[in-house]
Amino acid sequence: QVQLVESGGGLVQAGGSLRLSCAASGRTFSSYAMGWFRQAPGKEREFVAAITMSGRNTHYADSVNGRFTISRDNAKNTVYLQMNSLKPEDTAVYYCAARRNYYADYVGAYDYWGQGTQVTVSS
């Protein structure tokens, strides 16, 4: 069982940056691949980024590739999402998620979810 708590969301102007954090409970954090997803109003939840258990490999949605960076610190049981060059279309609730073993880029692959943190980008 893993419990996830996101933080770091807020209001930012277009072109700005935010760093999201997701703190995980438990002693087996390094056994989980982690992902970030987002959901805008009236839209389905979509994949943003994922990272392997060790942190050596990452994968991004085309819409954020080159602007967002996912990373993790297994000693702190935390995964991060650094978001740069933010655009209004990045506005959404951002969720972190965990799954055993290798990462995946679809919602149904993940077993544990946080409660989400709101990111709003003004134009």
Side-chain angles (χ1 to χ4, degrees):
Q1 189 83 8
V2 177
Q3 292 185 324
L4 305 172
V5 179
E6 302 96 335
S7 62
L11 174 64
V12 64
Q13 288 189 330
S17 297
L18 280 175
R19 188 175 83 154
L20 306 183
S21 299
C22 173
S25 65
R27 295 175 289 178
T28 60
F29 178 70
S30 60
S31 299
Y32 292 86
M34 301 297 295
W36 284 98
F37 291 76
R38 66 187 182 187
Q39 188 167 18
K43 295 189 176 181
E44 293 187 351
R45 194 170 298 188
E46 65 175 9
F47 171 75
V48 174
I51 190 166
T52 53
M53 293 182 289
S54 67
R56 279 195 287 269
N57 296 99
T58 57
H59 178 52
Y60 297 93
D62 290 343
S63 58
V64 306
N65 198 21
R67 299 188 298 122
F68 290 10
T69 302
I70 187 172
S71 61
R72 66 189 296 162
D73 185 338
N74 285 344
K76 295 183 178 179
N77 282 14
T78 302
V79 62
Y80 305 97
L81 185 68
Q82 177 67 43
M83 305 186 295
N84 298 330
S85 302
L86 282 161
K87 304 175 181 179
E89 51 263 44
D90 294 318
T91 295
V93 178
Y94 283 71
Y95 299 88
C96 71
R99 74 184 302 266
R100 286 280 193 182
N101 302 317
Y102 209 66
Y103 62 49
D105 60 5
Y106 58 101
V107 171
Y110 287 81
D111 301 307
Y112 304 100
W113 293 84
Q115 82 291 346
T117 186
Q118 177 70 47
V119 171
T120 303
V121 184
S122 63
S123 57

